[in-house]
Amino acid sequence: MNRLHPSVRVVWGVKWILFGVGVGIVTSFVTGFDTHVISIVTVTSIIGIAVASLRYRAFRYELRDDGIYLRRGILTQKETVIPVGSVQQIDVDKPLLDRPFGLVHVQIYTAGTFGGRSTIPGIKLDTAIDLANRLDRLARGNSDI
């Protein structure tokens, strides 16, 4: 199975740091103590780096003739199989924080489920376009992947 690009760990870590800065600022306004900001940012940064590494190690994806297989989850591992027949739409998104690293997300929308969408985050643009094209060909009945 394929892994995400290693740079996605940095993106996820930065998101945790930004979250920590936000929580630290709110806490300093509520309590009036500026020292809380540094503590909260430090703690969320450490947690964020650990979570990002674990999440990266747990996420896998693979495109096969019958569908796309996803494996993810840190504490509870979840495996998803998206049959090619249920694929309705495939989007390649470029989130703001991912752009400096050349990373994108592949969004796969499916039929027959409420909120039927699965995401493959943190892959390079050329890999994402290749994956989306191959999945689209399979969904249209062309098995030459």
Side-chain angles (χ1 to χ4, degrees), residues 63-136:
L63 179 62
R64 298 181 189 165
D65 288 338
D66 58 339
I68 190 156
Y69 291 73
L70 304 173
R71 183 184 309 149
R72 60 204 176 280
I74 297 171
L75 297 177
T76 303
Q77 290 191 343
K78 182 177 182 179
E79 294 196 24
T80 304
V81 178
I82 303 170
V84 293
S86 67
V87 174
Q88 295 290 305
Q89 179 179 333
I90 306 160
D91 290 340
V92 176
D93 299 329
K94 298 178 185 177
L96 181 64
L97 291 177
D98 294 42
R99 288 181 203 163
F101 300 95
L103 301 179
V104 298
H105 294 191
V106 175
Q107 302 274 351
I108 304 165
Y109 297 89
T110 58
T113 58
F114 177 75
R117 180 183 74 178
S118 294
T119 303
I120 303 172
I123 57 178
K124 287 290 192 180
L125 180 60
D126 55 343
T127 305
I129 291 172
D130 181 53
L131 177 67
N133 288 336
R134 290 171 50 207
L135 184 56
D136 183 55

Side-chain angles (χ1 to χ4, degrees), residues 2-18:
N2 302 307
R3 283 189 165 213
L4 304 177
H5 193 275
S7 297
V8 76
R9 293 178 292 190
V10 176
V11 174
W12 291 339
V14 167
K15 288 179 183 179
W16 271 90
I17 291 168
L18 292 174

